[in-house]
Amino acid sequence: MKHTIALVDDDRNILTSVSMTLVAEGFQVRTYTDGESALAGISSKPVDLAVLDIKMPRMDGMELLQRLRSRSQLPVIFLTSKDEEVDQLMGLRLGADDYITKPFSQRLLLERIRTLLRRNEANRAEASGATPQDTMTRGALSLDETRHRCLWRDADIQLTVTEFLLVKALATRPGLVKSRDQLIDAAYGENIYVDDRTIDSHIKRVRKKFRQIDDSFNQIETLYGIGYRYKEE
């Protein structure tokens, strides 16, 4: 059965180009140009995942997410033009699963959609007792790769898909230095251009999230001019 994606953006060029790509990849797509019409449409005909712009007329993406979260755990990806908006958004813990900064690679968006759909299906299967966990443990760190779930000292760390992939890339080989280019490949895929500073920003946010649980967290080390490594306890 085809998955249905809700695509919500007031930029009709984005709606057209992205929906064409998704349909070509086997998805069903419903498009909306504002938050109010999206809320009404998704409420009457549920979808499997939503891609939301943050700045929209007649209800912005953040309010739309709050309304959706009050009734379901629908996977949501935000499209944002400013990284600073995401810092505030994630700080408020409104519940977005991931975000992509404009302008964006449609191939990257496809991979994020597929990853979140797999995670959502794995969560449902586990709830029914059908799927065993695929967990990697490094000291106090536990990564459930199937569900993209991260635990630190048994506390749940809410990571975006990108952040999870970065932690996984570092923790897979403790002590091994990963360059920024290697981390870009791990989190975004090969042949996708991302500024090196984007990785630094992600690592900063990851550390902040871990230190909200454990202020002594120092497992992710910076090697200036080289990259990062994970130090196992």
Side-chain angles (χ1 to χ4, degrees):
M1 186 175 65
K2 289 185 178 181
H3 288 106
T4 301
I5 309 299
L7 183 60
V8 191
D9 199 307
D10 60 343
D11 187 328
R12 293 186 181 275
N13 290 327
I14 289 179
L15 289 182
T16 300
S17 62
V18 175
S19 61
M20 287 177 63
T21 298
L22 292 175
V23 169
E25 293 293 324
F27 294 101
Q28 293 180 336
V29 181
R30 297 186 194 139
T31 61
Y32 305 94
T33 56
D34 64 82
E36 285 189 3
S37 62
L39 180 63
I42 294 171
S43 298
S44 62
K45 294 182 179 180
V47 297
D48 298 299
L49 182 144
V51 180
L52 314 179
D53 188 26
I54 288 183
K55 292 185 175 180
M56 293 185 296
R58 299 178 62 209
M59 186 186 300
D60 64 21
M62 289 188 283
E63 183 178 351
L64 174 57
L65 175 61
Q66 287 179 304
R67 299 284 191 91
L68 293 172
R69 279 287 177 267
S70 69
R71 61 190 73 186
S72 76
Q73 291 301 310
L74 175 72
V76 169
I77 298 173
F78 264 118
L79 301 179
T80 175
S81 57
K82 291 184 178 180
D83 209 26
E84 294 79 15
E85 291 180 271
V86 178
D87 278 333
Q88 180 184 14
L89 177 68
M90 295 304 171
L92 293 173
R93 298 176 69 86
L94 292 179
D97 296 282
D98 204 359
Y99 69 92
I100 296 177
T101 303
K102 296 179 180 179
F104 58 90
S105 159
Q106 292 198 21
R107 187 161 65 87
L108 174 61
L109 177 60
L110 274 169
E111 289 304 312
R112 291 295 182 264
I113 288 172
R114 291 187 177 116
T115 296
L116 287 172
L117 289 173
R118 285 195 301 268
R119 186 188 73 176
N120 203 45
E121 289 171 356
N123 285 339
R124 291 177 180 175
E126 187 188 44
S128 66
T131 301
Q133 292 186 2
D134 183 10
T135 303
M136 176 173 70
T137 302
R138 298 289 184 269
L141 176 70
S142 177
L143 296 174
D144 181 343
E145 299 183 51
T146 304
R147 297 185 300 159
H148 276 244
R149 185 183 184 191
C150 175
L151 298 178
W152 176 256
R153 303 194 189 285
D154 295 324
D156 198 355
I157 309 292
Q158 297 293 322
L159 299 178
T160 67
V161 173
T162 303
E163 292 165 352
F164 182 94
L165 292 172
L166 287 173
V167 173
K168 176 187 171 185
L170 290 168
T172 298
R173 298 283 298 277
L176 180 68
V177 179
K178 290 279 189 178
S179 70
R180 287 171 178 80
D181 285 343
Q182 289 174 315
L183 292 174
I184 288 171
D185 288 347
Y188 291 92
E190 297 180 358
N191 302 318
I192 293 178
Y193 173 76
V194 177
D195 191 286
D196 287 354
R197 289 174 296 179
T198 300
I199 295 298
D200 297 335
S201 297
H202 282 305
I203 294 294
K204 180 180 178 181
R205 280 192 289 271
V206 167
R207 285 173 172 153
K208 182 178 180 180
K209 289 181 178 183
F210 275 86
R211 286 170 182 165
Q212 287 174 340
I213 301 297
D214 178 2
D215 58 12
S216 67
F217 178 83
N218 65 351
Q219 268 53 55
I220 299 178
E221 298 181 312
T222 302
L223 284 82
Y224 293 99
I226 303 175
Y228 297 92
R229 70 182 172 196
Y230 185 83
K231 179 179 67 175
E232 192 168 5
E233 291 182 302

